[in-house]
Amino acid sequence: MDLRRLRYFLVLAEELNFTRAAHRLHIAQPALSQQIRALERDIGAALLERGSRGCRLTAVGEVVAREAGELLAHAAAAQERIRAAVGGRQGQLRLALTRSARGGPVDALLAAFRTLHPDVDLVVRTGWTAHNITELLAGRLDAAFVRPPLDGEGLECRHIASEELLVAVPADHPLARERRVTRGHIAAEPVILWPRENAPGMHDLITRQLWPGSGPRIVREEPDDEQLLLSVAAGTGIAPVPEGRARALRIPGVRLKRMTAPMPTVDLALAHRPGSATPALRGLLSLVDTLPPPSAD
């Protein structure tokens, strides 16, 4: 059924006068009469009894006027929902965070997204980069924060931030008194790290930057940064940790030390499958595009 004709009829049902209804609708009176007759043909019944002083609704016309009001209200609401979805203001966004990046730019980005897109159902989970990539490729996520470099996964990545890599040492360790730590200082130290399979690219990047020779002497693997820092506090060894996560956890008995130049860093990126961007994801990507570009240094 033609929604435009229903809207014309609803105005006419309110005015019960073709001249006044046509004036409200900003159309000519003959055109309005034509549209109402077409609607009556569509329905197969007369909707109006016309007279010299105006018109009145037939029994069928009263039903049509009542139903038309509800139908047009539903149609207007549906159109708004569609416009909202196209603008990324509605729908669902399935998103994964990487464990090492809570706080800082990620939390700020999500807060801004929620403010701009309050109608989007943001479903957030947390996992290691490798797990997040698996979920992305399987279609169970729309996007995920990851620690690059990624190796041949066929995903698109947008840079979010670069973070300084600190070295966590026990509070009573001799290195705790150093202003900055050299690579020679840590070359032979026992090291606590998370399993390489959690984020192979980041693991190898850390190794190349901090232990460019023979690699770290790993004495323990821990599943996440909190357990890693707790092991440092217990004196098991030292550990490299992204600055934001290390300072957010604030584990007693741990001192965070900067390295001498060149400053080691790790990157944070937002990954998604090429060509898979939903309206909600496009809203998030637009926000990412407003972030400052990575430094050339």
Side-chain angles (χ1 to χ4, degrees), residues 40 71 100 112 124 128 130 147 154 160 204 210 228 231 237-238 240-241 292:
E40 288 176 323
L71 182 60
S100 65
V124 181
W128 287 104
R147 291 290 190 179
I160 302 295
D204 294 348
L210 299 186
L228 186 149
S231 291
I238 66 171
V241 189

Side-chain angles (χ1 to χ4, degrees), residues 90 144 162 206 220 232 234 249 286 297:
Q90 198 172 51
S162 293
I206 290 173
R220 180 179 295 182
V232 172
L249 288 170
S286 294
D297 294 336

Side-chain angles (χ1 to χ4, degrees), residues 6-18:
L6 283 177
R7 184 167 65 87
Y8 286 175
F9 175 70
L10 194 58
V11 172
L12 180 58
E14 292 171 356
E15 296 291 344
L16 293 177
N17 183 284
F18 276 87

Side-chain angles (χ1 to χ4, degrees), residues 79-94:
Q79 287 174 337
E80 174 56 28
R81 287 193 295 270
I82 291 169
R83 283 193 294 267
V86 170
R89 294 184 290 109
Q90 198 172 51
Q92 187 181 78
L93 181 60
R94 301 166 301 166

Side-chain angles (χ1 to χ4, degrees), residues 92-281:
Q92 187 181 78
L93 181 60
R94 301 166 301 166
L95 185 65
L97 311 180
T98 182
R99 291 183 182 274
S100 65
R102 292 311 310 269
V106 171
D107 286 3
L109 190 65
L110 295 186
F113 179 82
R114 285 188 170 103
T115 298
L116 292 171
H117 307 284
D119 295 331
V120 172
D121 179 19
L122 190 56
V123 181
V124 181
R125 63 191 76 169
T126 302
W128 287 104
T129 288
H131 175 73
N132 290 348
I133 289 172
T134 299
E135 294 293 284
L136 263 179
L137 294 174
R140 291 186 287 269
L141 289 172
D142 298 307
F145 290 98
V146 295
R147 291 290 190 179
L150 309 183
D151 183 21
E153 284 84 2
L155 298 172
E156 289 186 8
C157 285
R158 300 202 185 190
H159 181 271
I160 302 295
S162 293
E163 239 183 314
E164 185 176 355
L165 197 63
L166 304 181
V167 175
V169 303
D172 58 357
H173 194 285
L175 290 179
R177 297 190 293 271
E178 296 289 335
R179 183 172 176 273
R180 285 186 179 261
V181 175
T182 69
R183 285 153 181 79
H185 283 145
I186 64 173
E189 289 289 331
V191 175
I192 310 160
L193 254 178
W194 30 265
R196 182 179 180 276
E197 57 266 25
N198 289 351
M202 182 183 181
H203 193 285
D204 294 348
L205 179 64
I206 290 173
T207 296
R208 288 196 302 270
Q209 292 184 93
L210 299 186
W211 293 277
S214 58
R217 182 165 70 89
I218 299 175
V219 296
R220 180 179 295 182
E221 290 183 336
E222 293 288 358
D224 57 45
D225 292 322
E226 184 170 11
Q227 293 301 316
L228 186 149
L229 291 174
L230 287 171
S231 291
V232 172
T236 306
I238 66 171
V241 189
E243 181 178 19
R245 187 65 173 151
R247 297 199 187 282
L249 288 170
R250 295 183 177 276
I251 302 296
V254 173
R255 298 291 181 269
L256 301 174
K257 310 305 296 183
R258 283 192 160 88
M259 297 291 299
T260 54
M263 183 181 72
T265 60
V266 288
D267 289 339
L268 177 65
L270 182 68
H272 65 95
R273 299 185 310 281
S276 67
T278 63
L281 177 55

Side-chain angles (χ1 to χ4, degrees), residues 8-9 11-38 40 47-57:
Y8 286 175
F9 175 70
V11 172
L12 180 58
E14 292 171 356
E15 296 291 344
L16 293 177
N17 183 284
F18 276 87
T19 301
R20 290 196 300 269
H23 180 73
R24 274 182 58 184
L25 292 166
H26 304 289
I27 62 173
Q29 183 176 327
L32 176 59
S33 297
Q34 233 176 19
Q35 292 298 323
I36 298 303
R37 288 194 186 95
E40 288 176 323
L47 304 178
L48 297 160
E49 292 180 359
R50 295 163 176 83
S52 59
R53 296 186 178 180
C55 57
R56 66 186 182 90
L57 300 179

